[in-house]
Amino acid sequence: MTAQALLRRATGLSVSKSVAERAVGQRMEQTGFADSEAYLQALTPAEMTQLIELVVVPESWLFRDPQAFYATVELVQERWARGRATRILSIPCAGGEEPYSMAMALRDGGVPKQAFSIDAYDLSPGCIERAQAGVYGRNAFRAQDVGFRERYFTHVADDAYRIIDSLREQVTFRQGNLLQFDTATYSRHYDVIFCRNLLIYFDKPTTRAAIHNLSALLADDGMLLAGYAEVPSFCQNGFATLQFRQAFALKKETAAPASPAQVAPLPALRSVPPAPRRAAAPAAPVAPAALRTRPMSVPAPPPAPAPTAQADLLAEARLLADRGQLREAGEKCHAHLARVPEAAEAYFMLGIINELAGKMDLADDYWRRCIYLQPDHYEALCHLSLLAERNGNHTAAATLKARAARIYQRRQASN
């Protein structure tokens, strides 16, 4: 089995071949293996943990997307007024930034410590160790207002701050994998679940399995906070949105969601129905060949392919991409574009395919072509925002995120 397949089986993450091979190379240097096949055959659970550490994405910061925390404070206050404590889960919790932000927000909201409990899980033991230490550098304080640092942190080094003990004690950290969570023991246990920006690293079947587990863990009247790019996937799998502005909050639908085995396969790479197609602006003031007037003696051009045939190319591309056959999936998208040059959805899929291949510059270019052709393409805006965020371009990320949020709100209002 390849390193890519082993990591995917162990974590559920869609890791690109280049990332997997780079991680294996690093561990081979550190463990003295000269042959990758020998290294993979000798892989122990402890070594797999070390390999996983090199591919997880622990990037986060304190009070990231703060509206989610404000919505939770409102819910906890309302429940405590009725004498009910709130159990909160953060999964994945990265280095603890999210659960600590929640604890700070509740303290600022005047909520007593007995009114809530917070459990936090992450796949990475290294992340859990950092979270338990509670020490953060400059990058963790990216919020516009960092007044909370003076209230809840002590300065321990040049750019390092440690969260105060009374808040550290409010959060219980454990190493764990959502896909392997004991949902029977913790059935409907949590009133609030934060699971933000995890599903974007999963393929469709893994996404459905993860959402099924989250639904099992969430109380029937509970609230789930998702990443803004993930809301459509939740809505396709047993959840409905709640009207908290830019919090991307959801609730379970009244009907129990189907188990992963019962869920019919969804088309890969697509979770929001495309908006009506908009024609692209021509690159030059020349009519496309198929639309020019012709002398009667010139044979008419062949008829355009039937819509079903065009749709089949994209459906085949989605299926191939889900199987990891990225080159073949890309060829299908390009074949579709040869027939329909203004197909925004094909450009979006090419962006996803190149992201999976680790070619982020190409992914960025394809997603920008997509939103040029279809400015309200929600998912492309979400992916561009996430990419800008990872590259440290927070101004561009905020602008793109705001555009996506406006589109999301318009769609909600029209439903």
PDB file of all heavy atoms in Angstrom, residues 290 304-305 310 313-314 330-343 346-347 350:
ATOM      1  N   ALA A 290     -19.032  29.705 -33.888  1.00  0.00           N
ATOM      2  CA  ALA A 290     -20.311  29.006 -34.012  1.00  0.00           C
ATOM      3  C   ALA A 290     -21.478  29.959 -34.151  1.00  0.00           C
ATOM      4  O   ALA A 290     -22.559  29.554 -34.534  1.00  0.00           O
ATOM      5  CB  ALA A 290     -20.527  28.111 -32.796  1.00  0.00           C
ATOM      6  N   ALA A 304     -24.345  21.159 -31.395  1.00  0.00           N
ATOM      7  CA  ALA A 304     -23.649  21.116 -30.105  1.00  0.00           C
ATOM      8  C   ALA A 304     -23.963  19.808 -29.397  1.00  0.00           C
ATOM      9  O   ALA A 304     -25.040  19.244 -29.578  1.00  0.00           O
ATOM     10  CB  ALA A 304     -24.098  22.301 -29.232  1.00  0.00           C
ATOM     11  N   PRO A 305     -23.026  19.314 -28.632  1.00  0.00           N
ATOM     12  CA  PRO A 305     -23.299  18.064 -27.906  1.00  0.00           C
ATOM     13  C   PRO A 305     -24.512  18.213 -27.013  1.00  0.00           C
ATOM     14  O   PRO A 305     -24.798  19.287 -26.489  1.00  0.00           O
ATOM     15  CB  PRO A 305     -22.021  17.872 -27.060  1.00  0.00           C
ATOM     16  CG  PRO A 305     -20.984  18.736 -27.706  1.00  0.00           C
ATOM     17  CD  PRO A 305     -21.721  19.873 -28.327  1.00  0.00           C
ATOM     18  N   GLN A 310     -22.592  16.541 -22.132  1.00  0.00           N
ATOM     19  CA  GLN A 310     -21.703  17.479 -21.462  1.00  0.00           C
ATOM     20  C   GLN A 310     -21.680  17.204 -19.964  1.00  0.00           C
ATOM     21  O   GLN A 310     -20.621  17.201 -19.328  1.00  0.00           O
ATOM     22  CB  GLN A 310     -22.157  18.905 -21.741  1.00  0.00           C
ATOM     23  CG  GLN A 310     -22.066  19.297 -23.218  1.00  0.00           C
ATOM     24  CD  GLN A 310     -22.693  20.652 -23.471  1.00  0.00           C
ATOM     25  OE1 GLN A 310     -22.963  21.394 -22.539  1.00  0.00           O
ATOM     26  NE2 GLN A 310     -22.918  20.977 -24.730  1.00  0.00           N
ATOM     27  N   LEU A 313     -19.485  14.251 -18.935  1.00  0.00           N
ATOM     28  CA  LEU A 313     -18.053  14.476 -18.823  1.00  0.00           C
ATOM     29  C   LEU A 313     -17.686  14.970 -17.423  1.00  0.00           C
ATOM     30  O   LEU A 313     -16.703  14.514 -16.827  1.00  0.00           O
ATOM     31  CB  LEU A 313     -17.589  15.497 -19.871  1.00  0.00           C
ATOM     32  CG  LEU A 313     -17.394  14.977 -21.299  1.00  0.00           C
ATOM     33  CD1 LEU A 313     -17.106  16.134 -22.239  1.00  0.00           C
ATOM     34  CD2 LEU A 313     -16.247  13.969 -21.330  1.00  0.00           C
ATOM     35  N   LEU A 314     -18.447  15.896 -16.900  1.00  0.00           N
ATOM     36  CA  LEU A 314     -18.170  16.404 -15.546  1.00  0.00           C
ATOM     37  C   LEU A 314     -18.442  15.332 -14.501  1.00  0.00           C
ATOM     38  O   LEU A 314     -17.701  15.222 -13.519  1.00  0.00           O
ATOM     39  CB  LEU A 314     -19.007  17.650 -15.261  1.00  0.00           C
ATOM     40  CG  LEU A 314     -18.623  18.910 -16.049  1.00  0.00           C
ATOM     41  CD1 LEU A 314     -19.485  20.088 -15.602  1.00  0.00           C
ATOM     42  CD2 LEU A 314     -17.161  19.241 -15.863  1.00  0.00           C
ATOM     43  N   GLY A 330      -8.719  15.481 -14.809  1.00  0.00           N
ATOM     44  CA  GLY A 330      -8.398  16.748 -15.470  1.00  0.00           C
ATOM     45  C   GLY A 330      -8.655  16.699 -16.964  1.00  0.00           C
ATOM     46  O   GLY A 330      -9.134  17.675 -17.560  1.00  0.00           O
ATOM     47  N   GLU A 331      -8.352  15.567 -17.584  1.00  0.00           N
ATOM     48  CA  GLU A 331      -8.585  15.427 -19.028  1.00  0.00           C
ATOM     49  C   GLU A 331     -10.069  15.548 -19.351  1.00  0.00           C
ATOM     50  O   GLU A 331     -10.449  16.157 -20.371  1.00  0.00           O
ATOM     51  CB  GLU A 331      -8.040  14.081 -19.512  1.00  0.00           C
ATOM     52  CG  GLU A 331      -6.512  14.024 -19.522  1.00  0.00           C
ATOM     53  CD  GLU A 331      -5.979  12.630 -19.842  1.00  0.00           C
ATOM     54  OE1 GLU A 331      -6.818  11.693 -19.940  1.00  0.00           O
ATOM     55  OE2 GLU A 331      -4.760  12.474 -19.984  1.00  0.00           O
ATOM     56  N   LYS A 332     -10.924  14.972 -18.497  1.00  0.00           N
ATOM     57  CA  LYS A 332     -12.370  15.082 -18.718  1.00  0.00           C
ATOM     58  C   LYS A 332     -12.828  16.540 -18.614  1.00  0.00           C
ATOM     59  O   LYS A 332     -13.676  16.999 -19.384  1.00  0.00           O
ATOM     60  CB  LYS A 332     -13.130  14.223 -17.712  1.00  0.00           C
ATOM     61  CG  LYS A 332     -12.887  12.727 -17.846  1.00  0.00           C
ATOM     62  CD  LYS A 332     -13.488  12.161 -19.121  1.00  0.00           C
ATOM     63  CE  LYS A 332     -13.296  10.648 -19.180  1.00  0.00           C
ATOM     64  NZ  LYS A 332     -13.838  10.082 -20.451  1.00  0.00           N
ATOM     65  N   CYS A 333     -12.286  17.257 -17.640  1.00  0.00           N
ATOM     66  CA  CYS A 333     -12.658  18.672 -17.492  1.00  0.00           C
ATOM     67  C   CYS A 333     -12.242  19.481 -18.717  1.00  0.00           C
ATOM     68  O   CYS A 333     -13.004  20.327 -19.208  1.00  0.00           O
ATOM     69  CB  CYS A 333     -12.000  19.255 -16.235  1.00  0.00           C
ATOM     70  SG  CYS A 333     -12.679  18.647 -14.686  1.00  0.00           S
ATOM     71  N   HIS A 334     -11.025  19.223 -19.203  1.00  0.00           N
ATOM     72  CA  HIS A 334     -10.564  19.963 -20.388  1.00  0.00           C
ATOM     73  C   HIS A 334     -11.390  19.592 -21.615  1.00  0.00           C
ATOM     74  O   HIS A 334     -11.660  20.454 -22.472  1.00  0.00           O
ATOM     75  CB  HIS A 334      -9.080  19.696 -20.622  1.00  0.00           C
ATOM     76  CG  HIS A 334      -8.184  20.411 -19.660  1.00  0.00           C
ATOM     77  ND1 HIS A 334      -8.092  21.800 -19.624  1.00  0.00           N
ATOM     78  CD2 HIS A 334      -7.360  19.954 -18.677  1.00  0.00           C
ATOM     79  CE1 HIS A 334      -7.224  22.157 -18.683  1.00  0.00           C
ATOM     80  NE2 HIS A 334      -6.772  21.067 -18.084  1.00  0.00           N
ATOM     81  N   ALA A 335     -11.801  18.341 -21.710  1.00  0.00           N
ATOM     82  CA  ALA A 335     -12.666  17.941 -22.822  1.00  0.00           C
ATOM     83  C   ALA A 335     -14.002  18.671 -22.749  1.00  0.00           C
ATOM     84  O   ALA A 335     -14.557  19.095 -23.776  1.00  0.00           O
ATOM     85  CB  ALA A 335     -12.879  16.424 -22.793  1.00  0.00           C
ATOM     86  N   HIS A 336     -14.521  18.833 -21.538  1.00  0.00           N
ATOM     87  CA  HIS A 336     -15.769  19.575 -21.366  1.00  0.00           C
ATOM     88  C   HIS A 336     -15.584  21.040 -21.758  1.00  0.00           C
ATOM     89  O   HIS A 336     -16.438  21.632 -22.432  1.00  0.00           O
ATOM     90  CB  HIS A 336     -16.220  19.476 -19.916  1.00  0.00           C
ATOM     91  CG  HIS A 336     -17.524  20.172 -19.644  1.00  0.00           C
ATOM     92  ND1 HIS A 336     -18.743  19.627 -19.989  1.00  0.00           N
ATOM     93  CD2 HIS A 336     -17.801  21.372 -19.074  1.00  0.00           C
ATOM     94  CE1 HIS A 336     -19.714  20.462 -19.646  1.00  0.00           C
ATOM     95  NE2 HIS A 336     -19.161  21.523 -19.082  1.00  0.00           N
ATOM     96  N   LEU A 337     -14.445  21.633 -21.376  1.00  0.00           N
ATOM     97  CA  LEU A 337     -14.193  23.037 -21.717  1.00  0.00           C
ATOM     98  C   LEU A 337     -14.012  23.232 -23.222  1.00  0.00           C
ATOM     99  O   LEU A 337     -14.322  24.308 -23.746  1.00  0.00           O
ATOM    100  CB  LEU A 337     -12.957  23.539 -20.971  1.00  0.00           C
ATOM    101  CG  LEU A 337     -13.167  23.804 -19.478  1.00  0.00           C
ATOM    102  CD1 LEU A 337     -11.830  24.009 -18.776  1.00  0.00           C
ATOM    103  CD2 LEU A 337     -14.063  25.021 -19.260  1.00  0.00           C
ATOM    104  N   ALA A 338     -13.513  22.214 -23.911  1.00  0.00           N
ATOM    105  CA  ALA A 338     -13.390  22.320 -25.364  1.00  0.00           C
ATOM    106  C   ALA A 338     -14.762  22.472 -26.008  1.00  0.00           C
ATOM    107  O   ALA A 338     -14.908  23.112 -27.053  1.00  0.00           O
ATOM    108  CB  ALA A 338     -12.676  21.086 -25.919  1.00  0.00           C
ATOM    109  N   ARG A 339     -15.786  21.908 -25.365  1.00  0.00           N
ATOM    110  CA  ARG A 339     -17.152  22.010 -25.881  1.00  0.00           C
ATOM    111  C   ARG A 339     -17.883  23.231 -25.327  1.00  0.00           C
ATOM    112  O   ARG A 339     -18.685  23.850 -26.012  1.00  0.00           O
ATOM    113  CB  ARG A 339     -17.938  20.748 -25.511  1.00  0.00           C
ATOM    114  CG  ARG A 339     -17.344  19.459 -26.045  1.00  0.00           C
ATOM    115  CD  ARG A 339     -18.165  18.270 -25.583  1.00  0.00           C
ATOM    116  NE  ARG A 339     -17.656  17.007 -26.107  1.00  0.00           N
ATOM    117  CZ  ARG A 339     -18.226  15.832 -25.915  1.00  0.00           C
ATOM    118  NH1 ARG A 339     -19.341  15.755 -25.198  1.00  0.00           N
ATOM    119  NH2 ARG A 339     -17.702  14.737 -26.411  1.00  0.00           N
ATOM    120  N   VAL A 340     -17.619  23.540 -24.059  1.00  0.00           N
ATOM    121  CA  VAL A 340     -18.324  24.647 -23.397  1.00  0.00           C
ATOM    122  C   VAL A 340     -17.260  25.535 -22.730  1.00  0.00           C
ATOM    123  O   VAL A 340     -16.964  25.400 -21.545  1.00  0.00           O
ATOM    124  CB  VAL A 340     -19.324  24.124 -22.330  1.00  0.00           C
ATOM    125  CG1 VAL A 340     -20.215  25.265 -21.830  1.00  0.00           C
ATOM    126  CG2 VAL A 340     -20.162  22.995 -22.872  1.00  0.00           C
ATOM    127  N   PRO A 341     -16.644  26.451 -23.472  1.00  0.00           N
ATOM    128  CA  PRO A 341     -15.512  27.220 -22.939  1.00  0.00           C
ATOM    129  C   PRO A 341     -15.852  28.063 -21.717  1.00  0.00           C
ATOM    130  O   PRO A 341     -14.958  28.413 -20.942  1.00  0.00           O
ATOM    131  CB  PRO A 341     -15.105  28.112 -24.119  1.00  0.00           C
ATOM    132  CG  PRO A 341     -15.637  27.417 -25.326  1.00  0.00           C
ATOM    133  CD  PRO A 341     -16.902  26.761 -24.887  1.00  0.00           C
ATOM    134  N   GLU A 342     -17.133  28.404 -21.528  1.00  0.00           N
ATOM    135  CA  GLU A 342     -17.506  29.264 -20.407  1.00  0.00           C
ATOM    136  C   GLU A 342     -17.999  28.465 -19.198  1.00  0.00           C
ATOM    137  O   GLU A 342     -18.645  29.005 -18.298  1.00  0.00           O
ATOM    138  CB  GLU A 342     -18.591  30.258 -20.842  1.00  0.00           C
ATOM    139  CG  GLU A 342     -19.995  29.692 -21.005  1.00  0.00           C
ATOM    140  CD  GLU A 342     -20.224  28.939 -22.297  1.00  0.00           C
ATOM    141  OE1 GLU A 342     -19.237  28.701 -23.036  1.00  0.00           O
ATOM    142  OE2 GLU A 342     -21.392  28.596 -22.580  1.00  0.00           O
ATOM    143  N   ALA A 343     -17.680  27.178 -19.119  1.00  0.00           N
ATOM    144  CA  ALA A 343     -18.184  26.323 -18.045  1.00  0.00           C
ATOM    145  C   ALA A 343     -17.427  26.583 -16.746  1.00  0.00           C
ATOM    146  O   ALA A 343     -16.340  26.032 -16.513  1.00  0.00           O
ATOM    147  CB  ALA A 343     -18.070  24.853 -18.442  1.00  0.00           C
ATOM    148  N   ALA A 346     -16.389  23.488 -14.598  1.00  0.00           N
ATOM    149  CA  ALA A 346     -15.208  22.723 -15.004  1.00  0.00           C
ATOM    150  C   ALA A 346     -13.941  23.364 -14.442  1.00  0.00           C
ATOM    151  O   ALA A 346     -13.022  22.666 -14.001  1.00  0.00           O
ATOM    152  CB  ALA A 346     -15.139  22.644 -16.525  1.00  0.00           C
ATOM    153  N   TYR A 347     -13.883  24.692 -14.452  1.00  0.00           N
ATOM    154  CA  TYR A 347     -12.723  25.376 -13.868  1.00  0.00           C
ATOM    155  C   TYR A 347     -12.660  25.147 -12.361  1.00  0.00           C
ATOM    156  O   TYR A 347     -11.575  24.987 -11.790  1.00  0.00           O
ATOM    157  CB  TYR A 347     -12.780  26.863 -14.176  1.00  0.00           C
ATOM    158  CG  TYR A 347     -12.375  27.203 -15.588  1.00  0.00           C
ATOM    159  CD1 TYR A 347     -13.276  27.794 -16.469  1.00  0.00           C
ATOM    160  CD2 TYR A 347     -11.089  26.931 -16.040  1.00  0.00           C
ATOM    161  CE1 TYR A 347     -12.908  28.107 -17.764  1.00  0.00           C
ATOM    162  CE2 TYR A 347     -10.718  27.230 -17.343  1.00  0.00           C
ATOM    163  CZ  TYR A 347     -11.620  27.822 -18.199  1.00  0.00           C
ATOM    164  OH  TYR A 347     -11.243  28.119 -19.477  1.00  0.00           O
ATOM    165  N   LEU A 350     -11.226  21.730 -11.856  1.00  0.00           N
ATOM    166  CA  LEU A 350      -9.791  21.712 -12.125  1.00  0.00           C
ATOM    167  C   LEU A 350      -9.013  22.302 -10.951  1.00  0.00           C
ATOM    168  O   LEU A 350      -7.907  21.851 -10.640  1.00  0.00           O
ATOM    169  CB  LEU A 350      -9.487  22.494 -13.412  1.00  0.00           C
ATOM    170  CG  LEU A 350      -9.811  21.759 -14.711  1.00  0.00           C
ATOM    171  CD1 LEU A 350      -9.772  22.716 -15.894  1.00  0.00           C
ATOM    172  CD2 LEU A 350      -8.831  20.598 -14.928  1.00  0.00           C
TER     173      LEU A 350
END
